[in-house]
Amino acid sequence: MSGGETVLVTGGSGYIGGWCVAGLIQRGYVVRTTVRDLAKEPAVRAALGKIVDPGNRLSFYAANLTADDGWDAAVEGCDYLLHVASPLGVADPKDPNELIVPAREGAKRAVGAAIKAGVKRVVLTSSVAATNKGQQTSDWTSTEPADPRGDWVSDETIWTDPAARGVSAYAQSKTLAERAAWDTINRSDGKTTMATVNPALVLGPVTSGDFSESVQVVERLLSGRVPGLPRLGFNVVDVRDVADLHIRAMTDDKAAGERFIAAGQFAWMADLATLLRERLGSDAAKVPTRKVPDFVIRIAGLFDKDLGSVTPGLGHKHDYSSEKAQRMLGWKPRPLDETILDCARSLIAIGAV
Ligand code: NAP
């Protein structure tokens, strides 16, 4: 339990941010959260109310990643910062800076304000997109350089090279933001420490219709908004486990200065479809059964930006290891079935499919 310590969570209106706020309240912390627009407070409280009653232990602050205003006031007097907010984007925007600038400059603002306020520990939500093998930096010293198009397993020692060919704007934004945050911490006096959590594809229960882009994987399958099953696969991680890892990384002395991949089991789209059809009966009637050949997706990807961004991964198993978080912090990802079925049932319950 927390002894009433105060934590600032940035982006409490988001999927992971919301579950972090809930997890902290459940453990007895006093929580502040930033939103871009304070008019969102009632909707965020309503969504959160489905998980936990925050009583008088939750307050809201306005801050935008793209502006200096509000950050110092939000973090002053806090013991910890969970910096979760960052723009998401499956499809590449015309200008990568649309994602890169808010992510990187926002990370500098949030971490800089936390150092100034003397918080004990910052936990930054990075991504496995910042740990991609085959897109490594030139100072990466492993003896097994990987083909980005082949199968591989990655871990926290790997850094994506944001300048490498084929790296998405989102992967650039997460890598550059994480680098900027480490640089900011490393230049400070050392009193504030940092850890990062680098999640894979985050799924699990949603509490409102305004859900993260990652949830579209299950939403599109359930609503039949995909014509068939491409040979795409992901490491899935439960949003509740991602929140739990943030809190472990926040409080465990051993986590200072460390990156932690948050990833559960790898699954192909076809595995997810089979699971939904077998376990959800008529609720999964629209889930496709037909596999789509890679060439069809590649051609469609020429016209559809969302598809175009995923075609390089077709047929390849890009796996991420969370062995470090399990070994060092005692973290345990829950089984894939529970995550997928709870995600699907929550989408059905709110009428999103
Ligand atoms: P989400 O539900 O879309 O939440 C994103 C949050 O960031 C929202 O609270 C959003 O606030 C905030 N935000 C975006 N741009 C902002 C800006 N300019 N200023 C202030 N706040 C801003 O997405 P999520 O899945 O929870 O993602 C949260 C974090 O996890 C991100 O750092 C993301 O990169 C990382 N992550 C996600 C996944 C995944 O599969 N979902 C995987 C790996 C890493 P508004 O409500 O104002 O839009």
Side-chain angles (χ1 to χ4, degrees):
M1 278 303 203
S2 71
E5 287 176 308
T6 302
V7 187
L8 174 66
V9 179
T10 67
S13 54
Y15 188 35
I16 297 173
W19 279 98
C20 284
V21 170
L24 289 162
I25 301 264
Q26 281 163 342
R27 288 165 179 78
Y29 290 93
V30 175
V31 182
R32 299 179 189 175
T33 190
T34 62
V35 286
R36 274 188 269 195
D37 180 358
L38 286 174
K40 274 204 170 179
E41 178 174 339
V44 176
R45 282 194 184 273
L48 211 58
K50 294 183 186 168
I51 314 169
V52 70
D53 175 8
N56 60 2
R57 284 189 291 123
L58 176 64
S59 52
F60 287 72
Y61 289 74
N64 193 316
L65 297 170
T66 58
D68 291 334
D69 309 337
W71 290 104
D72 287 342
V75 77
E76 198 190 340
C78 287
D79 297 281
Y80 304 101
L81 165 68
L82 304 187
H83 179 47
V84 185
S86 203
L88 259 78
V90 176
D92 274 354
K94 263 202 188 111
D95 179 0
N97 281 325
E98 280 179 36
L99 295 179
I100 294 170
V101 172
R104 185 191 57 211
E105 300 308 309
K108 285 198 243 174
R109 287 190 171 97
V111 175
I115 292 167
K116 206 154 101 183
V119 313
K120 291 186 261 198
R121 170 82 47 86
V122 172
V123 180
L124 175 92
T125 317
S126 184
S127 168
V128 291
T131 69
N132 274 339
K133 228 173 181 176
Q135 298 171 340
Q136 66 272 39
T137 52
S138 49
D139 65 352
W140 182 60
T141 52
S142 166
T143 51
E144 38 158 350
D147 177 352
R149 291 156 304 169
D151 293 355
W152 40 254
V153 184
S154 196
D155 62 35
E156 293 85 353
T157 62
I158 309 293
W159 276 92
T160 301
D161 178 357
R165 241 180 89 226
V167 178
S168 69
Y170 176 68
Q172 291 178 51
S173 79
K174 296 306 290 179
T175 308
L176 293 168
E178 192 190 325
R179 284 276 194 212
W182 282 118
D183 287 348
T184 308
I185 282 287
N186 292 338
R187 277 200 308 268
S188 70
D189 62 10
K191 287 191 189 128
T192 300
T193 58
M194 190 172 94
T196 68
V197 173
N198 299 56
L201 181 77
V202 182
L203 296 173
V206 300
T207 51
S208 86
D210 184 15
F211 45 76
S212 172
E213 282 191 39
S214 55
V215 176
Q216 285 189 16
V217 171
V218 175
E219 185 260 326
R220 284 184 182 220
L221 283 172
L222 274 181
S223 59
R225 284 207 297 131
V226 277
L229 302 168
R231 284 202 312 147
L232 284 173
F234 323 90
N235 284 95
V236 173
V237 63
D238 195 291
V239 68
R240 296 163 289 192
D241 297 335
V242 173
D244 175 61
L245 184 54
H246 278 75
I247 299 168
R248 286 172 191 260
M250 181 181 97
T251 48
D252 195 314
D253 286 345
K254 294 189 293 300
E258 301 289 345
R259 310 172 87 197
F260 296 98
I261 286 177
Q265 205 179 316
F266 180 93
W268 296 101
M269 288 280 269
D271 301 331
L272 303 183
T274 303
L275 176 65
L276 292 170
R277 290 187 79 90
E278 282 180 359
R279 301 283 292 277
L280 293 182
S282 59
D283 282 334
K286 293 186 193 152
V287 175
T289 50
R290 201 163 47 91
K291 294 190 178 152
V292 188
D294 295 351
F295 79 90
V296 174
I297 301 288
R298 287 206 179 90
I299 292 170
L302 298 175
F303 305 100
D304 177 328
K305 272 178 109 190
D306 283 3
L307 273 180
S309 63
V310 296
T311 52
L314 282 168
H316 297 301
K317 188 174 178 189
H318 295 175
D319 209 346
Y320 298 90
S321 169
S322 62
E323 183 276 334
K324 180 175 169 183
Q326 299 191 43
R327 173 176 40 83
M328 279 180 67
L329 304 181
W331 180 72
K332 198 170 181 300
R334 72 194 67 205
L336 177 75
D337 295 21
E338 189 179 334
T339 301
I340 301 301
L341 295 172
D342 284 357
C343 184
R345 289 186 182 116
S346 69
L347 286 166
I348 294 164
I350 62 168
V353 289

